[in-house]
Amino acid sequence: CVERVTFVSHDKGCCFARDGAVHLDVRNFHDPPTTHDGRNEIVWQKIFTNHPDVFTLLCRRVKEVMRESRQATLVLSFYCNGGKHRSVACAELFGAIATSFGLETEVVHKSLEFHRNRGCACSGCNTDRVNLPEYVAEMLRQAWFLISRHQRL
């Protein structure tokens, strides 16, 4: 049973290769036209509203990985082209889902750390850990439970 999850975001060229990590390609989401990075609410809204089917499939895949894991500690790695919008948003959003279920979580943004100029410096993006607005948290919970209402994490 998984007790701790590390969610990592990075670009496709990143040398991040951690033993046991599950790598998830999130390039199916189109990059939102914004200067903000994936820690911003604007980017989350774009992912929810522009790609509900893709987000549902990703939820399903993350749930499968978490359910099938035999390890207490799991590393889920999200990657996209630049490591700024899509992978960062997915790491933040799934980190919030896991936290809401009482799991110990860590969210790491490899590309934003390495390429400091990629991250946005506004107050909506420049945080160590995002506190999700309640309506976003509720949307996440609904998406998560719609996939399989009778199955636990």
Side-chain angles (χ1 to χ4, degrees):
C1 185
V2 175
E3 297 171 7
R4 176 180 170 72
V5 186
T6 300
F7 297 94
V8 179
S9 71
H10 60 90
D11 61 86
K12 67 179 179 186
C14 179
C15 62
F16 179 78
R18 199 159 168 186
D19 290 336
V22 176
H23 301 280
L24 301 166
D25 184 350
V26 294
R27 292 177 291 177
N28 290 353
F29 296 107
H30 298 293
D31 259 340
T34 180
T35 58
H36 297 295
D37 64 45
R39 296 172 292 178
N40 194 285
E41 192 175 334
I42 292 169
V43 178
W44 307 334
Q45 288 175 347
K46 297 285 185 196
I47 285 178
F48 286 138
T49 57
N50 295 350
H51 309 285
D53 294 339
V54 176
F55 188 75
T56 299
L57 289 173
L58 185 59
C59 278
R60 183 171 287 127
R61 178 69 181 123
V62 169
K63 281 182 93 166
E64 287 172 5
V65 168
M66 292 177 79
R67 241 187 265 120
E68 294 170 3
S69 178
R70 303 280 186 245
Q71 303 168 344
T73 301
L74 178 65
V75 178
L76 288 173
S77 159
F78 299 96
Y79 70 93
C80 60
N81 290 334
K84 178 179 179 179
H85 297 108
R86 298 168 287 184
S87 63
V88 171
C90 288
E92 289 290 339
L93 293 171
F94 283 100
I97 290 172
T99 299
S100 75
F101 289 119
L103 295 174
E104 184 180 339
T105 62
E106 178 183 15
V107 177
V108 179
H109 303 298
K110 291 292 187 186
S111 295
L112 290 184
E113 289 174 5
F114 186 73
H115 305 286
R116 295 267 181 215
N117 61 334
R118 285 192 188 166
C120 178
C122 80
S123 62
C125 294
N126 193 16
T127 59
D128 289 333
R129 183 76 168 125
V130 176
N131 291 318
L132 298 179
E134 185 52 39
Y135 81 94
V136 174
E138 183 57 30
M139 288 173 66
L140 284 171
R141 283 189 290 272
Q142 287 177 9
W144 189 260
F145 283 117
L146 280 175
I147 293 166
S148 57
R149 290 185 179 165
H150 305 290
Q151 294 178 334
R152 291 190 48 148
L153 213 138

